[in-house]
């Protein structure tokens, strides 16, 4: 039986058992993974996994059950559990319906690469060795601590009782290395570097190795500076976490509707500096979050979020959209088949500026650059504080030295308004935000002095 | 044929090298209410198996959710071929510390096995807590209440003759509250949980932490962010486990020690104030990270990392134990059947002292009482951080106004040397730690006094 047959079986079975509506989501994955530990290749893994999540609605009551076993018996059993949970639940008066069938857009270009789908254990090892050698070869003072490289073939099927039927295969290859540099008995802070791509040819393990090594080296011999308020260049990773994690949270319609977003009712208002334009693009070619349908099986799209500093719109799944009688933006997402859909960004893209990193540095009279942030961000209020890692002090447009025991703090919503400039290179980060380096003013820089 | 019999049959075919086979069935039940409505009522099972094979000092690993005989045979073959083909590319030759094979069974001690309980009571409980939280104050605009049961059935068999069955049941819940007033917004989070049956709800009612979170969010809406600077602080008992885990625990994991963490070469040396005894305990009663055997089949134990300020031991797998010439400590853990075990903490805590909270505050001229934990991280060089939700100002030994909590950081060495008083209010909590793969851990301790850098406002 194909995955689609299993999904159809689940929908049919639940409807027969008395469900008003049913949705089946099936995910199947094959993963080849190499793990580095204690400076060496530790292990290589082959993983095969699949599973089904079944959502049923009966009298506006929701039940959900899942199983990793795909067989006729297992699906029928899981359907029964989902129905019994729906019966035991409490009606949600705001429930409208599961989405109906819509014509899907063309599959975005470059989201499936047969070279990743068919990668061998040996090829995977070679990629890791390339990254490893690039880091070790960069400088004798550099040591690799740990890392992991994974090639993932992902197949997704969604079907529901309103004739939604969607199926697609995607691929992804990702890897990270953690390096430290050691000199004269001193160990640097941990430097992290990664890459992720849907296409094997665009995945650059050597770059991961070189860049991790360079970051570790540049954090050797750190000094402290006195606390001050100033300009900070946030590299892609910290910019994404500090600035855009609160943005994604605030434009998530579920948070807006639940009173958890300070941007509720602010569409059309200025929320950021005019240099900032952001959109969510579920159809972006080669995007790590791209697909022609979302995880409820309806079309993904390109949704404007912030245009030249003005708030344009929110992202929805079918539940939040139905509540407002509008169309979903195709942002239903699930971490895994064993979870219900939530609202999430697909590819959250920040428009690039014109400046290279060295040009951004040249703009800073007194401030710092932060390449890793180890801290906490409160998505509702925008408060952030944490340690600036691989951070360097900048004076008169030049990097002076690495920083030690230095924290930064501020408020993301204020920082969005205090954006001075935006870098010209973007990269996808952990929260699927394609983020450039961003220069922000008025950040608290804190040390013991 | 049941899955374990398939694995045993596969093992009887005498594969090459040292072989471990694990079978894991994880049954979960989740319920959540959001803003007065039941949001999720979920139930399901994930089941799979894995093989880890050591041939000529090289590991190979494969896992599958398909448990038919030919699939399991292929899984074992895949693991073996990965071990062999990767051999030439690995510099390290793996050797394992010797281990007496164990044939044993373990089950979480439970008074109320959730398998036998009706779920209707849990639905009403979550609804009741959700209502009480929203009724706490008019300024509470949103809440989420969750309760979860994770019921793990683990089997471990090895070519050395081990056969271990463990059933580990964890029950845990959480409450998130958001309050809004005059354009300000604040959130608070609290959790309960332990390794046990549903009796956890009697020992630590979800209602209590729900109201704690509601009170905190309401109070903090109009509060300012705590100031930045290097301060004397009291860490509340509920967050001291984060200090034990982030500042010390990670740096005592032998894989990190190997890379040069700040505890490397420190066995027998003073690394903390003599008030500090820090333990990673695999047998702590009802601990979230307690198991009788780890995922290499090694019996767990209470491992003292720091005793009265002196570094005593690291946390080991069979592999690192062999390398360091010590006995394995039972710290090799895997999140599920998709992962090979790596060195992880179990229940990490700082032992209690004899101070009351008032006595801890007495000697602080200007400082903060920090409450409510958020995420944390540790670095190789001993620098760690974790978030706090609330900072109550202490002035001349007296508690004053509440402020919004901030992330705190410090160098583990310094912070531990600055611990000059520990309370008697010991508590063990639940945690989720991410290191390559996530895992359930316990974190514990009593309120204590030290100095940290606070990442606050001007």
């Amino acid at each position: 039986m194909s995955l689609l047959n299993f999904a159809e079986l689940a929908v049919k079975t639940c409807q027969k058992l008395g469900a008003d509506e049913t949705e089946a989501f099936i995910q199947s994955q094959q993963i080849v993974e190499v793990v580095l530990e204690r400076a060496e290749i530790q292990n290589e893994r082959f993983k095969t996994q699949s599973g089904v999540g079944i959502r049923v609605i009966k009298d506006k009551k929701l039940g959900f059950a899942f199983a990793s076993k795909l067989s006729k018996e297992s699906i029928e059993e899981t359907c029964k559990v989902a129905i019994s949970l729906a019966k035991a639940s409490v009606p949600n008066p705001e429930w409208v319906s599961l989405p109906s069938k819509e014509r899907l857009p063309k599959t975005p270009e470059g989201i499936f690469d047969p070279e990743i789908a068919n990668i061998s254990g040996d090829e995977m090892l070679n990629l890791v060795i390339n990254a490893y050698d690039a880091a070790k070869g960069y400088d004798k003072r550099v040591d690799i601590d740990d890392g992991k490289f994974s090639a993932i073939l992902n197949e997704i099927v969604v079907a529901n009782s309103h004739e939604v039927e969607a199926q697609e295969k995607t691929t992804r290859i990702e890897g990270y290395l953690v390096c430290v540099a050691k000199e004269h008995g001193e160990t640097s802070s941990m430097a992290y570097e990664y890459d992720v791509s849907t296409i094997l040819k665009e995945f650059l393990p050597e770059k991961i190795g070189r860049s991790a090594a360079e970051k570790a080296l540049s954090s050797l011999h750190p000094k402290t500076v006195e606390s001050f308020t100033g300009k900070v260049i946030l590299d892609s990773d910290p910019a994404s976490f500090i600035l855009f994690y609160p943005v994604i949270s605030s434009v998530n319609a579920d948070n807006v509707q639940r009173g958890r977003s300070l941007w509720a009712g602010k569409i059309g208002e200025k929320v950021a500096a005019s240099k900032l334009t952001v959109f969510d693009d579920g159809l972006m070619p080669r995007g790590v979050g791209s697909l022609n349908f979302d995880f409820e099986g309806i079309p993904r799209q390109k949704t404007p979020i912030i245009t030249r500093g003005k708030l344009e719109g929110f992202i929805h799944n079918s539940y939040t959209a139905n509540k407002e009688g509008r169309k979903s933006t195709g942002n239903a997402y699930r971490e895994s088949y064993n979870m219900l859909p939530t609202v999430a960004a697909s590819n959250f893209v920040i428009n690039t500026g014109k400046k290279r990193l060295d040009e951004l540095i040249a703009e800073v009279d007194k401030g710092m650059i932060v390449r890793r942030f180890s801290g906490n961000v409160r998505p509702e209020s925008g408060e952030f504080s944490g340690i600036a890692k691989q951070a360097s002090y900048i004076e008169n447009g030049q990097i002076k030295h690495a920083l030690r025991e230095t924290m930064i703090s501020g408020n993301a919503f204020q920082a969005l308004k205090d954006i001075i400039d935006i870098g010209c290179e973007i990269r996808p980060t952990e929260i699927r935000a394609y983020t450039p380096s961003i220069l922000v003013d008025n950040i608290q820089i804190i040390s013991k002095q | 044929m049941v899955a374990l019999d398939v694995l045993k049959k596969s093992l009887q075919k005498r594969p090459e090298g040292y072989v471990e086979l694990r079978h894991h069935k994880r049954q979960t039940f989740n319920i959540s209410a959001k803003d007065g409505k039941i949001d999720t009522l979920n139930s399901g099972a994930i089941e799979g198996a894995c093989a880890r094979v050591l041939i000529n000092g090289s590991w190979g690993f494969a896992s599958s959710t398909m448990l038919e005989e030919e699939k399991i045979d292929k899984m074992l073959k895949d693991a073996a071929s990965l071990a062999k083909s990767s051999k030439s590319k690995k510099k390290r030759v793996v050797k394992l510390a010797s281990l007496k094979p164990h044939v044993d069974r373990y089950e979480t001690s439970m008074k109320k096995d959730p398998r036998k309980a009706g779920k209707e009571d849990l639905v009403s409980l979550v609804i009741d807590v959700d209502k009480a939280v929203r009724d706490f104050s008019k300024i509470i605009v949103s809440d989420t209440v969750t309760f979860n049961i994770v019921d793990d059935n683990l089997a471990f068999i090895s070519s050395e003759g081990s056969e271990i069955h463990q059933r580990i049941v964890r029950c845990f819940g959480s409450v998130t509250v958001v309050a809004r007033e005059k354009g300000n917004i604040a959130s608070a989070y609290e959790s309960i949980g332990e390794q046990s049956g549903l009796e956890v709800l009697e020992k630590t009612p979800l209602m209590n932490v729900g109201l704690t979170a509601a009170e905190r969010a309401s109070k903090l809406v109009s509060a300012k962010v705590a100031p930045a600077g290097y301060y004397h602080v009291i860490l509340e008992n509920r967050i001291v486990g984060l200090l034990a885990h982030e500042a010390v625990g990670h740096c005592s994991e032998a894989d990190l020690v190997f890379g040069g963490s700040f505890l490397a070469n420190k066995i027998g040396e003073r690394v903390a104030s003599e008030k500090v005894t820090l333990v990673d305990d695999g047998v702590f009663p009802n601990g979230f990270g307690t198991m009788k055997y780890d995922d290499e089949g090694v019996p767990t134990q209470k491992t003292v990392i720091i005793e009265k300020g002196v570094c005593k031991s690291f946390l080991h797998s069979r592999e690192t134990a062999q390398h360091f010439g010590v006995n394995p400590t039972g710290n090799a853990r895997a999140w599920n059947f998709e992962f090979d075990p790596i060195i992880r903490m179990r229940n990490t805590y700082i032992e209690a002292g004899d101070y009351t909270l008032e006595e801890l505050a007495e000697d602080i001229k200007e400082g903060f009482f920090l409450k409510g934990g958020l995420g944390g991280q540790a670095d190789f060089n001993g620098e760690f951080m974790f978030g706090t939700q609330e900072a109550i100002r202490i002035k001349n030994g007296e508690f004053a106004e509440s402020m919004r909590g901030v992330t705190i950081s410090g160098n583990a060495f310094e912070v531990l040397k600055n611990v000059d008083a520990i309370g008697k209010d010991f508590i063990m909590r639940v945690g989720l730690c991410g290191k390559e793969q996530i895992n359930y851990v316990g974190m514990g301790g009593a309120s204590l006094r030290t100095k940290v850098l606070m990442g606050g406002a001007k």
Side-chain angles (χ1 to χ4, degrees):
Chain A
M1 252 165 112
S2 74
L3 294 185
L4 189 60
N5 292 150
F6 281 122
E8 287 166 343
L9 173 69
V11 172
K12 216 186 286 166
T13 306
C14 289
Q15 292 299 108
K16 219 186 276 170
L17 289 169
D20 297 337
E21 296 176 87
T22 308
E23 173 195 70
F25 178 88
I26 295 182
Q27 190 173 26
S28 166
Q29 286 189 320
Q30 277 179 60
I31 302 171
V32 186
E33 198 159 84
V34 177
V35 184
L36 290 118
E37 188 197 294
R38 288 176 290 137
E40 293 296 339
I41 291 166
Q42 171 72 3
N43 206 343
E44 187 165 18
R45 301 170 179 154
F46 269 173
K47 304 180 186 181
T48 314
Q49 59 142 309
S50 56
V52 59
I54 300 169
R55 174 159 67 144
V56 300
I57 290 91
K58 172 83 185 158
D59 302 327
K60 291 189 183 262
K61 294 190 288 189
L62 172 70
F64 182 79
F66 61 89
S68 60
K69 196 169 179 184
L70 292 183
S71 70
K72 192 166 173 286
E73 300 72 35
S74 164
I75 293 229
E76 284 171 352
E77 184 53 39
T78 309
C79 289
K80 279 183 202 153
V81 176
I83 296 260
S84 74
L85 286 170
K87 285 182 179 158
S89 190
V90 179
N92 178 355
E94 295 185 87
W95 179 262
V96 178
S97 100
L98 289 172
S100 302
K101 191 180 172 77
E102 278 181 64
R103 210 184 125 90
L104 296 180
K106 226 172 84 216
T107 302
E109 180 255 317
I111 61 168
F112 176 83
D113 180 4
E115 285 196 303
I116 297 179
N118 300 314
I119 200 163
S120 70
D122 225 37
E123 288 170 283
M124 204 56 199
L125 271 174
N126 287 335
L127 290 178
V128 176
I129 287 163
N130 290 347
Y132 181 101
D133 288 346
K136 287 293 235 187
Y138 189 85
D139 192 292
K140 270 196 292 227
R141 292 168 290 176
V142 172
D143 264 341
I144 292 161
D145 182 57
D146 65 309
K148 179 157 85 172
F149 286 70
S150 315
I152 301 152
L153 165 63
N154 197 20
E155 187 169 5
I156 282 167
V157 174
V158 197
N160 77 17
S161 51
H162 304 306
E163 293 178 352
V164 163
E165 227 177 64
Q167 180 174 22
E168 199 59 80
K169 279 183 186 168
T170 62
T171 51
R172 191 170 79 242
I173 182 159
E174 57 191 27
Y176 71 84
L177 276 186
V178 176
C179 285
V180 290
K182 290 176 188 170
E183 192 172 35
H184 311 311
E186 178 202 335
T187 304
S188 75
S189 60
M190 290 164 138
Y192 167 86
E193 188 54 78
Y194 69 96
D195 193 17
V196 54
S197 173
T198 57
I199 308 267
L200 186 61
K201 279 198 184 73
E202 293 181 5
F203 181 72
L204 304 170
E206 293 86 358
K207 201 172 156 193
I208 297 177
R210 276 198 309 273
S211 173
E214 182 271 316
K215 283 182 177 177
L217 275 178
S218 72
S219 51
L220 271 175
H221 313 305
K223 296 178 196 166
T224 53
V225 290
E226 270 182 45
S227 299
F228 67 102
T229 305
K231 295 186 179 126
V232 171
I233 299 170
L234 299 170
D235 203 0
S236 301
D237 245 356
S240 147
F241 183 44
I242 291 173
L243 301 177
F244 297 108
Y245 167 46
V247 169
I248 291 171
S249 168
S250 300
V251 300
N252 175 327
D254 189 45
N255 290 334
V256 174
Q257 292 169 354
R258 297 179 66 201
R260 292 174 171 229
S261 166
L262 285 172
W263 287 356
K266 289 204 173 164
I267 289 198
E269 284 183 32
K270 186 115 174 145
V271 293
S274 303
K275 290 205 169 169
L276 190 70
T277 292
V278 180
F279 48 91
D280 182 79
D281 189 357
L283 298 170
M284 186 168 85
R286 283 159 289 160
V288 288
S290 293
L291 201 63
N292 50 340
F293 57 89
D294 75 355
F295 289 180
E296 290 182 317
I298 55 174
R300 284 201 186 276
Q301 63 176 49
K302 183 169 173 176
T303 309
I305 304 292
I306 295 171
T307 306
R308 291 184 293 280
K310 260 197 198 121
L311 183 62
E312 287 258 356
F314 301 134
I315 51 173
H316 287 270
N317 64 11
S318 72
Y319 177 69
T320 64
N322 282 339
K323 267 183 163 178
E324 297 180 15
R326 61 162 63 227
K327 218 171 148 298
S328 167
T329 55
N331 284 91
Y333 180 75
R334 315 181 195 230
E335 277 304 328
S336 163
Y337 65 85
N338 61 357
M339 294 186 174
L340 280 162
T342 55
V343 179
S346 53
N347 301 295
F348 209 67
V349 184
I350 289 86
N351 268 9
T352 50
K354 296 205 170 69
K355 300 257 167 73
R356 293 191 314 269
L357 193 59
D358 58 309
E359 292 172 309
L360 289 179
I361 293 168
E363 278 188 57
V364 177
D365 46 350
K366 182 177 161 75
M368 67 193 286
I369 175 166
V370 181
R371 299 211 277 177
R372 179 160 79 88
F373 176 68
S374 172
N376 287 282
V377 179
R378 310 298 298 268
E380 300 91 5
S381 63
E383 286 148 31
F384 68 87
S385 53
I387 311 173
K389 298 274 187 182
Q390 279 90 55
S392 297
Y393 179 61
I394 305 173
E395 215 174 58
N396 301 324
Q398 279 181 332
I399 291 188
K400 292 291 173 191
H401 54 79
L403 284 164
R404 176 163 67 88
E405 292 174 356
T406 304
M407 298 182 82
I408 55 172
S409 81
N411 185 291
F413 297 113
Q414 185 55 48
L416 287 170
K417 293 177 178 162
D418 289 337
I419 289 175
I420 300 171
D421 224 329
I422 296 177
C424 62
E425 269 179 78
I426 51 170
R427 63 186 302 191
T429 63
E430 216 174 313
I431 56 172
R432 293 187 306 279
Y434 282 75
T435 318
S437 301
I438 297 187
L439 171 59
V440 186
D441 207 353
N442 296 319
I443 302 292
Q444 277 292 117
I445 293 154
I446 302 142
S447 77
K448 279 189 206 164
Q449 292 179 35
Chain B
M1 199 166 11
V2 294
L4 189 66
D5 293 334
V6 179
L7 294 187
K8 279 185 182 166
K9 211 170 153 195
S10 212
L11 194 58
Q12 276 159 9
K13 292 173 191 159
R14 299 200 162 273
E16 246 181 293
Y18 166 69
V19 179
E20 285 170 3
L21 293 169
R22 291 189 287 133
H23 171 254
H24 181 188
K25 184 170 184 184
R26 170 168 289 170
Q27 288 166 279
T28 55
F29 173 78
N30 315 96
I31 171 165
S32 75
K34 285 181 175 177
D35 307 344
K37 291 183 280 289
I38 288 290
D39 185 65
T40 50
L41 194 52
N42 298 358
S43 174
I46 289 176
E47 185 180 4
C50 64
R52 184 167 74 146
V53 179
L54 185 64
I55 300 173
N56 297 325
S58 168
W59 285 118
F61 177 93
S63 71
S64 175
T65 53
M66 285 171 270
L67 302 170
E68 299 81 19
E69 195 176 340
E70 71 274 14
K71 295 282 183 356
I72 295 297
D73 282 348
K74 179 175 181 302
M75 178 182 86
L76 191 50
K77 232 173 86 189
D78 281 345
S81 72
L82 283 177
K84 283 190 233 170
S85 67
S86 62
K87 166 74 185 159
S88 63
K89 290 170 177 147
K90 291 174 181 162
K91 292 180 188 147
R92 189 158 58 219
V93 178
V94 173
K95 285 190 187 130
L96 301 180
S98 63
L99 175 72
K100 180 172 113 0
H102 291 267
V103 178
D104 200 0
R105 278 181 184 274
Y106 164 80
E107 187 169 324
T108 297
S109 81
M110 279 178 290
K111 293 201 181 77
K112 285 190 180 177
D113 190 333
R115 243 183 239 180
K116 292 171 193 148
K119 302 296 188 282
E120 292 79 7
D121 291 352
L122 295 174
V123 175
S124 346
L125 168 82
V126 166
I127 288 175
D128 288 350
V129 175
D130 162 81
K131 185 169 182 335
V133 164
R134 284 180 300 119
D135 287 347
F136 182 84
S137 162
K138 264 190 247 160
I139 62 173
I140 288 173
V141 293
S142 179
D143 75 316
T144 305
V145 182
T146 74
F147 189 74
N148 314 279
I149 302 164
V150 177
D151 190 339
D152 279 326
N153 266 278
L154 304 155
F156 174 94
I157 56 174
S158 78
S159 57
E160 291 174 345
S162 281
E163 180 176 337
I164 298 162
H165 296 264
Q166 300 189 89
R167 178 183 170 212
I168 295 177
V169 178
R170 295 180 175 94
C171 293
F172 51 103
S174 69
V175 181
T176 315
V177 184
V178 178
R180 263 186 99 164
E181 196 178 36
K182 294 181 200 138
N184 292 320
I185 195 162
S187 61
Y189 169 85
E190 277 298 338
S191 64
I192 60 156
E194 62 176 21
Q195 182 179 145
S196 78
L198 294 172
E199 64 268 23
V200 66
L201 289 165
E202 288 150 32
K203 285 204 269 185
T204 50
L206 192 57
M207 185 68 84
N208 293 5
V209 294
L211 295 174
T212 302
E215 191 196 346
R216 179 175 297 147
S218 311
K219 195 163 56 178
L220 294 182
V221 170
S222 47
K224 289 198 171 117
V225 175
Y230 189 51
Y231 286 102
H232 275 291
V233 297
I234 300 172
L235 300 179
E236 175 199 29
N237 58 354
R238 295 177 75 82
I239 65 175
V240 164
L242 279 163
L243 179 74
H245 181 98
E246 298 296 354
V248 184
H250 279 298
C251 289
S252 70
E253 292 166 339
D255 50 338
L256 292 187
V257 171
F258 183 93
S261 85
F262 88 102
L263 285 177
N265 308 314
K266 294 285 191 313
I267 295 273
E269 280 185 32
R270 175 167 292 277
V271 294
S273 103
E274 58 178 19
K275 304 257 180 193
V276 177
T277 292
L278 195 145
V279 176
D280 182 67
D281 191 346
V283 296
F284 192 90
N286 298 111
F288 216 47
T290 296
M291 303 169 82
K292 189 167 182 190
Y293 297 89
D294 74 2
D295 292 310
E296 289 186 324
V298 176
T300 62
Q301 47 156 246
K302 177 175 169 178
T303 310
V304 179
I305 299 169
I306 297 173
E307 188 175 22
K308 296 193 171 106
V310 177
C311 183
K312 289 285 179 187
S313 173
F314 302 138
L315 308 178
H316 288 287
S317 62
R318 285 183 74 181
E319 191 181 331
T320 64
Q322 174 69 18
H323 178 89
F324 283 80
V326 295
N327 290 321
T329 53
N331 282 85
R333 300 179 61 195
W335 169 237
N336 62 24
F337 57 86
E338 291 191 351
F339 294 95
D340 45 324
I342 60 172
I343 298 173
R344 305 304 295 264
M345 285 174 257
R346 299 155 309 193
N347 308 289
T348 317
Y349 57 88
I350 294 175
E351 285 188 353
D354 53 8
Y355 281 70
T356 64
L357 212 50
E358 290 70 27
E359 287 167 343
L360 287 172
E362 243 168 42
D363 296 331
I364 299 182
K365 254 176 106 178
E366 207 197 341
F368 290 91
F369 178 31
L370 303 175
K371 296 171 85 166
L374 292 171
Q377 233 170 38
D379 202 318
F380 240 74
N381 57 11
E383 192 176 33
F384 69 92
M385 70 85 193
F386 58 87
T388 66
Q389 298 177 35
E390 183 180 0
I392 300 174
R393 195 188 283 278
I394 303 172
K395 260 191 175 158
N396 299 319
E398 302 283 336
F399 295 109
E401 82 273 20
S402 275
M403 306 187 82
R404 291 179 183 234
V406 295
T407 301
I408 59 170
S409 78
N411 180 284
F413 257 135
E414 262 178 58
V415 173
L416 292 174
K417 281 184 177 157
N418 284 329
V419 173
D420 62 351
I422 302 182
K424 48 187 167 192
D425 54 351
F426 184 90
I427 186 174
M428 180 59 83
R429 312 236 19 242
V430 298
L432 205 57
C433 166
K435 172 188 171 189
E436 198 269 309
Q437 40 181 289
I438 54 170
N439 220 321
Y440 297 121
V441 294
M443 300 182 185
S447 299
L448 59 75
R449 188 168 67 204
T450 184
K451 269 187 108 173
V452 296
L453 187 61
M454 289 173 55
K458 205 189 265 184

